[in-house]
Amino acid sequence: MTAQLAEPATRAWQADPYAVALRTGQGPLFLRRRDGWLLPLEVERWCAEPDAADDTVLARCAGPVLDVGCGPGRLVTALARLGHTALGVDVTPEAVARTVRAGGSALCRSVFDPLPRQGRWGTVLLIDGNIGIGGDPAALLRRTAELTAPGGSLLVEVATADVDERVEVHVEDGDGDRGASFWWARLGARALCAEARGAGWTPYDTWRTAGRHFVHLTR
């Protein structure tokens, strides 16, 4: 698989029911695999203020920060309040609009599109499972390495389980309304670190808090 797999996902995230959930700030919302397995999406948390686990991410940010798949922008706006130059990118217009309304800066683009400050971001974020974007973690890790300054950091939220999978999914709400199918990935810390080394990243630290698991990689 290549980074080109991001394009169907781009269309899927722009469509209902994901955009509707962001507009209202409420779920339920799920990723459903073809075999019926469901992954709940935490829309209410994404639309709230940063929580204690998010604070541990914010504390590790240095320099200008790029939040990939920023969603409704809770981290971008918090970083701006902390004095960082911060930019969110998201393929969903409603996510970008919500970020801007909250006082953050965001662009409606894929991470694989041309972006400002390429090669000069001090920290890049892949939080809330966004290592899954495009279903090709190796391509995403290479792309984030291109975006990050030498010596910069990539902060990734990984699955709490020791998992390494690329799956076809769709977004579905509690009423059974669904979006288009697209590829997604789920990685635990061990799988992420293995992929990262081949993409120019060095594992630096891992931590768990409030039931969430994170990895700090350096360029």
Side-chain angles (χ1 to χ4, degrees):
M1 289 184 289
T2 71
Q4 293 174 345
L5 286 174
E7 183 56 29
T10 296
R11 293 194 298 271
W13 289 110
Q14 289 175 345
D16 296 336
Y18 176 66
V20 172
L22 280 190
R23 196 171 300 122
T24 63
Q26 295 181 339
L29 198 68
F30 308 92
L31 286 185
R32 183 185 287 273
R33 257 184 351 212
R34 295 183 70 181
D35 63 4
W37 177 88
L38 288 175
L39 175 68
L41 299 176
E42 299 180 84
V43 176
E44 290 87 352
R45 179 174 66 78
W46 298 346
C47 292
E49 289 295 308
D51 60 17
D54 293 328
D55 287 342
T56 67
V57 174
L58 297 172
R60 288 169 167 80
C61 291
V65 183
L66 179 68
D67 185 2
V68 176
C70 66
R74 74 185 190 282
L75 299 181
V76 172
T77 54
L79 285 161
R81 289 195 296 266
L82 292 170
H84 288 275
T85 296
L87 177 68
V89 293
D90 202 290
V91 297
T92 306
E94 181 58 34
V96 172
R98 223 181 141 126
T99 300
V100 173
R101 287 197 300 270
S105 297
L107 295 175
C108 192
R109 296 185 193 174
S110 164
V111 64
F112 296 104
D113 290 338
L115 294 173
R117 291 179 179 264
Q118 178 156 315
R120 295 186 289 127
W121 292 101
T123 306
V124 175
L125 304 180
L126 287 170
I127 306 301
D128 300 327
N130 283 331
I131 185 62
I133 289 172
D136 188 349
L140 184 55
L141 288 164
R142 289 193 298 269
R143 175 57 176 154
T144 53
E146 293 172 352
L147 294 167
T148 309
S153 296
L154 177 64
L155 306 181
V156 185
E157 183 171 356
V158 294
T160 55
D162 187 12
V163 64
D164 184 2
E165 64 179 15
R166 286 81 168 144
V167 292
E168 190 175 1
V169 297
H170 62 264
V171 178
E172 184 175 299
D173 65 16
D175 296 322
D177 292 333
R178 56 176 290 176
S181 296
F182 58 96
W183 287 97
W184 196 251
R186 293 177 66 237
L187 275 69
R190 179 161 53 179
L192 173 70
C193 291
E195 290 278 10
R197 291 185 180 94
W201 292 104
T202 300
Y204 176 77
D205 189 21
T206 65
W207 74 99
R208 293 177 182 261
T209 183
R212 296 164 65 189
H213 196 182
F214 303 91
V215 178
H216 183 168
L217 306 170
T218 58
R219 269 276 265 123

